Amino acid sequence: MTWLRGLRARLVITFVLVGGVCAVAAAGLTYLQARKDLVAGVQDRLLDDFRNRVLLLSRDVALPADDSELALLAEDLEVGDRQVYVVRDAAVPSDARITAGLRQAVASRPELAWQRVSRDGVPYLVGGSRVMLRAGGTPSGITV
């Protein structure tokens, strides 16, 4: 009879341990999914806002644009702690967090391209787009 009580006690302990491990695993997976969804939501909102601001503000740029006009467009596009570069012919400053892969993606398609990069251990969301002329969707030579 005592061996039966010992077996029951072991089964209860095993059940409690398995239940605890499952609860911790479920909580961890829920946290990871919630974090992923939150980051994706913020990322999507930032990129949509950037895309819309580029479309709206680039309409006022006269071509060919001079350096002061490009600087004004960059200033208008900067919101909060965003750092914006507006350049002609892909002349991106060397201190920018823009990779060769992103430059290639921006040059090869008319819509917004983006990527996440890490610099000095700090993560960044970097997006870029060519500014297209309204008539026919022709590239203007300006990249944001």
Side-chain angles (χ1 to χ4, degrees):
M1 234 4 154
T2 56
W3 66 271
L4 188 58
R5 284 187 203 167
L7 180 63
R8 284 183 186 166
R10 287 187 194 129
L11 286 174
V12 168
I13 291 172
T14 302
F15 179 76
V16 169
L17 288 175
V18 168
V21 168
C22 289
V24 168
L29 291 173
T30 301
Y31 165 77
L32 290 175
Q33 186 63 43
R35 182 175 180 267
K36 179 182 168 187
D37 291 346
L38 181 64
V39 168
V42 169
Q43 171 184 295
D44 290 346
R45 283 191 300 276
L46 286 171
L47 292 172
D48 284 343
D49 179 59
F50 181 68
R51 180 184 300 111
N52 292 334
R53 292 178 68 78
V54 168
L55 287 172
L56 179 67
L57 295 173
S58 64
R59 291 180 183 172
D60 298 331
V61 176
L63 295 175
D66 59 14
D67 290 341
S68 63
E69 204 161 1
L70 295 180
L72 183 61
L73 178 59
E75 184 180 312
D76 289 343
L77 288 170
E78 287 180 350
V79 176
D81 60 352
R82 292 183 195 170
Q83 190 170 14
V84 177
Y85 298 96
V86 178
V87 296
R88 269 186 301 261
D89 305 319
V92 179
S94 61
D95 65 333
R97 291 158 183 89
I98 302 167
T99 65
L102 182 61
R103 289 180 192 174
Q104 183 180 10
V106 169
S108 67
R109 57 186 190 190
E111 66 271 1
L112 178 74
W114 62 272
Q115 68 181 184
R116 293 181 190 164
V117 296
S118 182
R119 186 171 181 189
D120 300 326
V122 178
Y124 294 94
L125 175 63
V126 183
S129 177
R130 293 185 295 165
V131 175
M132 307 303 276
L133 299 175
R134 277 185 270 171
T138 309
S140 65
I142 299 172
T143 303
V144 179

